[in-house]
Amino acid sequence: GREDRLRVVASFSILGDMTREVGGDDIHLDVLIGPMREAHTFEPSPRDARALGAAQVLVLNGLGLEAWMPRLLEASDFKGREIVASHGVKTRLVGAGESEDAAPGTVDPHAWQDLANGVQYVRNIAQGLAQADPTHESAYLARADAYVQKLRQADAQWRQQLAAIPEDRRALATSHDAFGYLGAAYGIRILSLVGLSSEAEPSARAMADLLKRIRADHVRALFLEQGGNSRALEQLAQEAGVTMGGTLYADTLDRPGHEASTYLGMFRWNTQQLMKAFTASGH
């Protein structure tokens, strides 16, 4: 019956969606950090500890994203299998060449922003679920294959769209250092205006510095990350005479019923926002 389904906990919304695609009806899934919530600063509750304590499998990103996880594991007395979705992914360092603010040598955890890494995540999840629940192995692997097919298709489509954009136009700035994998994978120059992501208003001097960098890098559009602070960014876009693009999703999905409410939908949404900016007539 439904009661003996494999009990799985995923750390945050993007992994939750991937795990749902692979697990289908063979798992019972709890997601700790729901849509539109910040993964880095999450404060686990007693309810989360109970959910994890009752689970047989935990799916997490790794790469330092879930800094709060060791405390939660201890509190929950979790005895199950851990699936580190990012296992085997070629990692990038935060701000590799883009941002002066990030501590050098910190691994960037946002590996899912490259769809090829997304494929690796899905394979890891499928393998882990199959090991935890061998009875449904063929179902997990079959769902993963079908899903990987879709991810590869989306990847190819996106590359095709980008190929039509001259390289010098593929430049953007964002308020959060979360799109390094996206930039590296798809040949987009991304200037991260870290320091704009906090609520504090940047000083006039900081604004002048950012303006200089935006002009020097021929940035075409400024993008706000979901949950970021828009006032300073809007002012910057105005002064630089560049487009203020739509919101990009970095480490959360949108609420159910919206386009960006799944991993694939989030990618589609982000690429639409980027294409709009790259094809907008500008300098």
Side-chain angles (χ1 to χ4, degrees):
R2 318 296 290 154
E3 288 319 297
D4 51 9
R5 284 185 299 173
L6 186 70
R7 287 191 306 281
V8 183
V9 166
S11 61
F12 74 116
S13 58
I14 292 167
L15 284 186
D17 182 57
M18 292 178 176
T19 304
R20 201 172 284 118
E21 286 285 345
V22 176
D25 285 340
D26 295 319
I27 66 170
H28 171 85
L29 180 67
D30 270 308
V31 180
L32 296 177
I33 307 174
M36 307 293 270
R37 289 173 66 200
E38 188 31 84
H40 297 273
T41 55
F42 178 63
E43 291 287 337
S45 69
R47 200 195 140 272
D48 298 318
R50 281 197 300 278
L52 190 52
Q56 293 150 291
V57 177
L58 166 65
V59 182
L60 70 162
N61 184 73
L63 308 182
L65 182 77
E66 300 101 341
W68 41 268
M69 189 61 85
R71 294 198 309 282
L72 179 59
L73 282 168
E74 207 170 322
S76 69
D77 203 22
F78 174 71
K79 295 272 191 283
R81 173 185 299 272
E82 279 181 46
I83 301 174
V84 180
S86 66
H87 184 74
V89 159
K90 189 172 180 300
T91 55
R92 289 175 44 84
L93 296 183
V94 169
E98 292 119 36
S99 105
E100 285 92 67
D101 312 78
T106 321
V107 170
D108 179 352
H110 307 89
W112 62 84
Q113 289 292 345
D114 171 353
L115 281 165
N117 290 342
V119 167
Q120 177 75 27
Y121 275 44
V122 170
R123 297 273 186 230
N124 288 335
I125 292 168
Q127 232 174 350
L129 293 181
Q131 285 162 357
D133 177 21
T135 319
H136 297 106
E137 175 174 18
S138 57
Y140 295 137
L141 298 182
R143 282 189 212 103
D145 281 342
Y147 186 43
V148 161
Q149 220 37 52
K150 285 184 193 162
L151 296 180
R152 292 216 165 110
Q153 220 172 344
D155 185 72
Q157 257 170 352
W158 174 217
R159 287 176 188 282
Q160 199 179 350
Q161 285 180 315
L162 275 176
I165 309 286
E167 248 171 84
D168 61 329
R169 296 187 84 159
R170 293 184 224 154
L172 63 103
T174 170
S175 56
H176 188 56
D177 202 356
F179 297 101
Y181 289 92
L182 183 88
Y186 302 103
I188 302 167
R189 285 201 316 290
I190 299 180
L191 183 69
S192 79
L193 309 173
V194 183
L196 276 191
S197 51
S198 63
E199 284 309 302
E201 288 300 304
S203 68
R205 186 167 155 221
M207 286 291 267
D209 282 348
L210 291 173
L211 260 175
K212 243 197 340 237
R213 288 171 62 197
I214 285 167
R215 294 202 171 109
D217 265 22
H218 306 295
V219 163
R220 301 192 58 79
L222 297 187
F223 283 93
L224 189 63
E225 184 225 346
Q226 171 52 46
N229 168 29
S230 64
R231 260 200 324 271
L233 211 57
E234 275 160 15
Q235 187 190 333
L236 206 52
Q238 218 168 357
E239 289 183 29
V242 298
T243 313
M244 184 72 195
T247 301
L248 298 180
Y249 289 81
D251 41 27
T252 175
L253 297 179
D254 203 344
R255 293 183 188 84
H258 295 260
E259 169 142 41
S261 63
T262 65
Y263 175 55
L264 263 174
M266 171 193 92
F267 227 89
R268 231 190 345 259
W269 169 270
N270 283 352
T271 56
Q272 278 163 4
Q273 307 311 307
L274 296 174
M275 285 306 289
K276 261 185 229 161
F278 293 154
T279 52
S281 59
H283 26 278

